[in-house]
Amino acid sequence: MQLDRLNPEWIDTSAVILQCKTDFITRKYENISYGEEKLQELDIYLPEEEKESYPVIFNIHGGGFRYCDKHDFHLYPSLYGLQRGYAVVAVNYRLAPKARYLEQLSDIYLALQWLGKNYKEYHLDIRRVFLWGTSAGGNLALMAGCCANPGNVKAEYNVSILGIAAFCPVVDLLKLHGYGSIGEKENIKKMINSMKKDAFGTRKRKTCRMSNVQNYMAYKMKPLFLMYGGRDSLIPASEMQKFYKRAQKQLPQGHCEKLCMEEAEHAGADVDYFLESNLEPVFQFFERMQKEHKDNGK
């Protein structure tokens, strides 16, 4: 990653996993519990300009369901939202193998439920919420946006999701095979099998299939902005293109957009996901969804 292209006031490059700096944010509430477990915590960041309420970016970090944190590099892109008048809610969830996939998805719903009950105290507008997730976090964002309930997970929350920004999301664990040489593909295969075992307790296709977003898209799919890399070493661009076409069929015209960065790798390994110029279409999409929501009198 070309770290010199990132804002040094926003990112700490000294850690093994890059961490966001949030010292520059003066209005924030950190490590708020939404559940009883240690990792069931979230942070809230508010814009400098005080308003009665703010639209919300609900950020779900990636990390293969096993790693990373609400305060690492996955937060960086959504911080541009603070400059545009959005509040940013960054959520942690329990990690595999201590927590399985269904428990992680339950954590996201639980955090959204917390948001629906406590929004007034933090000046959050729960009628204008956007889910933002990367990789594994993109999967959880899409599943929450579809109100998916595999294994009878309780998909209940009192917030209005106007859209989803999914960056190189895991949409089908059974079709991760990556890009690269034979040796690289073999290493990726081993990593994917390990991830399946940790997240589901098994590598059986039937069990892993419960995380396939495409099984739930016909139910309550929310407007989607999909961003992915043409040289992603984990999630093939061809699979992202297929998913985009299927989402287009499920959503009204104008409610599904994409940006394929042809030379980009997976998020976290490529600076393209962190550049404001590439994120501009995402925020334009959000603004359009808000305008449509307002015009419809909701």
Side-chain angles (χ1 to χ4, degrees):
M1 182 186 291
Q2 297 172 296
L3 299 178
D4 59 338
R5 299 178 70 186
L6 300 181
N7 185 343
E9 295 182 358
W10 288 15
I11 197 86
D12 177 6
T13 60
S14 64
V16 176
I17 297 178
L18 303 183
Q19 297 293 304
C20 272
K21 295 179 181 179
T22 55
D23 293 343
F24 72 96
I25 303 174
T26 60
R27 305 178 67 219
K28 56 190 173 185
Y29 307 87
E30 298 178 302
N31 300 320
I32 302 170
S33 296
Y34 66 84
E36 297 180 355
E37 300 291 333
K38 173 59 180 174
L39 282 176
Q40 291 175 324
E41 293 184 337
L42 54 81
D43 299 332
I44 298 174
Y45 304 103
L46 299 180
E48 290 296 318
E49 183 182 358
E50 293 191 21
K51 289 187 176 181
E52 183 177 345
S53 64
Y54 307 92
V56 178
I57 291 174
F58 187 89
N59 186 284
I60 309 171
H61 72 79
F65 304 107
R66 301 182 292 178
Y67 309 112
C68 297
D69 177 81
K70 59 183 169 59
H71 205 267
D72 66 23
F73 64 89
H74 294 100
L75 175 63
Y76 186 103
S78 60
L79 292 180
Y80 290 109
L82 291 175
Q83 302 175 336
R84 297 167 180 258
Y86 292 84
V88 176
V89 176
V91 62
N92 265 355
Y93 50 91
R94 290 170 292 172
L95 301 175
K98 290 185 177 181
R100 301 302 188 191
Y101 178 80
L102 295 182
E103 294 174 297
Q104 296 173 329
L105 182 58
S106 293
D107 283 355
I108 301 305
Y109 288 130
L110 187 61
L112 287 169
Q113 288 173 21
W114 181 94
L115 189 65
K117 295 176 181 177
N118 298 277
Y119 65 97
K120 291 183 180 180
E121 181 178 353
Y122 303 97
H123 304 283
L124 306 176
D125 187 347
I126 59 170
R127 298 167 300 175
R128 295 183 292 161
V129 176
F130 295 91
L131 303 182
W132 184 303
T134 304
S135 193
N139 173 276
L140 294 171
L142 288 167
M143 292 288 277
C146 293
C147 295
N149 60 344
N152 294 319
V153 171
K154 291 185 178 180
E156 301 174 355
Y157 50 79
N158 184 32
V159 303
S160 295
I161 296 174
L162 299 190
I164 308 167
F167 294 175
C168 52
V170 177
V171 297
D172 187 349
L173 271 173
L174 302 178
K175 294 185 179 179
L176 299 186
H177 52 76
Y179 173 96
S181 66
I182 294 176
E184 289 171 331
K185 288 184 177 180
E186 186 61 29
N187 288 334
I188 290 171
K189 182 178 179 180
K190 291 178 181 178
M191 185 273 289
I192 292 169
N193 285 336
S194 175
M195 179 174 67
K196 291 177 183 177
K197 184 68 180 298
D198 283 349
F200 295 95
T202 179
R203 290 183 294 172
K204 292 182 178 180
R205 296 175 64 87
K206 183 177 180 180
T207 303
C208 295
R209 193 175 287 118
M210 69 174 63
S211 67
N212 188 340
V213 177
Q214 296 171 98
N215 294 334
Y216 307 93
M217 291 169 61
Y219 182 42
K220 288 185 178 180
M221 187 70 176
K222 298 297 188 295
L224 169 64
F225 193 101
L226 181 67
M227 184 184 291
Y228 59 96
R231 296 181 64 85
D232 195 318
S233 59
L234 177 62
I235 300 175
S238 58
E239 291 302 318
M240 289 287 91
Q241 179 64 16
K242 290 177 184 177
F243 175 71
Y244 169 72
K245 288 183 178 180
R246 184 163 183 179
Q248 271 191 316
K249 293 179 181 179
Q250 298 291 343
L251 290 164
Q253 186 175 1
H255 281 213
C256 188
E257 294 187 10
K258 71 177 175 68
L259 173 61
C260 175
M261 298 172 291
E262 297 294 345
E263 298 302 315
E265 300 175 15
H266 196 62
D270 203 299
V271 72
D272 285 347
Y273 293 91
F274 299 78
L275 300 180
E276 187 173 15
S277 56
N278 288 337
L279 296 168
E280 177 64 27
V282 180
F283 288 108
Q284 290 181 1
F285 182 75
F286 285 1
E287 292 300 315
R288 189 157 55 81
M289 292 302 103
Q290 288 188 76
K291 183 179 185 302
E292 184 175 309
H293 184 75
K294 183 178 180 180
D295 289 347
N296 289 336
K298 297 180 180 179

